[in-house]
Amino acid sequence: MLSQVLMGGSVLAVVLSGLGYLGTDIWLASTQWLLVAAVMALFGVYLKMS
């Protein structure tokens, strides 16, 4: 369950990164949202494997 939440959060972070690229930064810059998405995805995969 937690891994699915992290993967969903990762997708949301990518969407927020896209919005930031279009000109409206929401709380973080676009590159920071991509870093958040990568970390969340890695933890989601790690939890799925264990």
Side-chain angles (χ1 to χ4, degrees):
M1 175 66 183
L2 185 57
S3 64
Q4 291 178 348
V5 170
L6 286 171
M7 294 304 279
S10 177
V11 170
L12 179 64
V14 170
V15 168
L16 289 173
S17 174
L19 287 175
Y21 176 74
L22 294 175
T24 305
D25 282 336
I26 300 173
W27 195 46
L28 294 175
S30 298
T31 53
Q32 292 169 332
W33 278 120
L34 287 176
L35 288 172
V36 169
V39 169
M40 290 178 80
L42 285 173
F43 275 113
V45 169
Y46 174 75
L47 289 174
K48 184 77 168 179
M49 291 177 62
S50 62

